[in-house]
Amino acid sequence: MYTRRRVGDRFEGEVGQGGVLREVAALHVASVWPFAREWVQTAMEHGDGEWDEKCLRDRLDCGNLRLLLAIEGVVRGVLVCQICDGPKQREAHVLYAAGPSFTLDKDWVEKELVEWAKANRAEVLQAFARPAVSRLLSANGWKETYRVVRKRL
């Protein structure tokens, strides 16, 4: 089960089958950013310039966005997430999932992500995903609800 633990807490011995997600407190984002930065930048390139690094970092530093570390023995990836209060429900949005060979469709990642969303009182988990990732996630019960199309002006 997901427990509210922050970077800096000890988690040796916790990592068994699969891995764990750990939320980085806004205060500690600067300390993990040097290795997370390259992965997040690569993921942002697929977003067609929707976010820039400065804006993303500002929102991570103030806690409007959340940085999660995916730990499987060592840090394998990072997720940038947001908790949003909508008119009908609270939602957890995954904006970016990044890292070498890291994807949301790994069973332990999804399980931990669901637990993290529930711990933040979210009723819905939503991910912004490319078509290939959407197909992978559909095998785990995710449903594609809409597609975003863009035109540069």
Side-chain angles (χ1 to χ4, degrees):
M1 178 168 172
Y2 179 83
T3 55
R4 285 186 182 262
R5 303 271 306 272
R6 306 287 184 174
V7 167
D9 289 351
R10 295 190 178 275
F11 50 81
E12 293 87 0
E14 284 184 26
V15 181
Q17 294 286 335
V20 294
L21 291 181
R22 290 292 172 253
E23 183 176 332
V24 178
L27 181 65
H28 298 294
V29 168
S31 65
V32 299
W33 191 249
F35 72 84
R37 179 178 184 237
E38 184 179 333
W39 295 342
V40 174
Q41 282 180 328
T42 300
M44 285 192 307
E45 289 171 10
H46 292 291
D48 197 30
E50 185 175 23
W51 288 83
D52 66 20
E53 182 183 348
K54 182 182 179 341
C55 183
L56 189 84
R57 254 313 287 282
D58 287 347
R59 292 193 180 198
L60 286 167
D61 289 340
C62 73
N64 288 342
L65 294 179
R66 316 278 182 91
L67 183 66
L68 304 177
L69 301 180
I71 303 164
E72 194 174 23
V74 296
V75 177
R76 300 284 183 193
V78 296
L79 294 100
V80 177
C81 300
Q82 182 177 34
I83 301 295
C84 299
D85 288 313
K88 293 184 177 181
Q89 61 198 2
R90 189 165 223 214
E91 300 179 350
H93 296 177
V94 179
L95 304 178
Y96 297 109
S101 305
F102 177 72
T103 59
L104 286 177
D105 66 312
K106 289 184 175 187
D107 287 339
W108 73 266
V109 174
E110 184 187 18
K111 178 179 168 255
E112 287 279 310
L113 191 56
V114 165
E115 291 299 324
W116 174 83
K118 286 179 180 177
N120 282 280
R121 301 183 330 272
E123 298 172 52
V124 172
L125 183 57
Q126 174 175 297
F128 296 91
R130 295 180 306 212
V133 175
S134 179
R135 284 190 299 275
L136 289 171
L137 291 174
S138 68
N140 289 339
W142 292 67
K143 178 182 161 195
E144 187 174 295
T145 55
Y146 56 86
R147 290 184 186 224
V148 176
V149 295
R150 290 185 164 217
K151 180 178 181 176
R152 286 234 179 246
L153 305 177

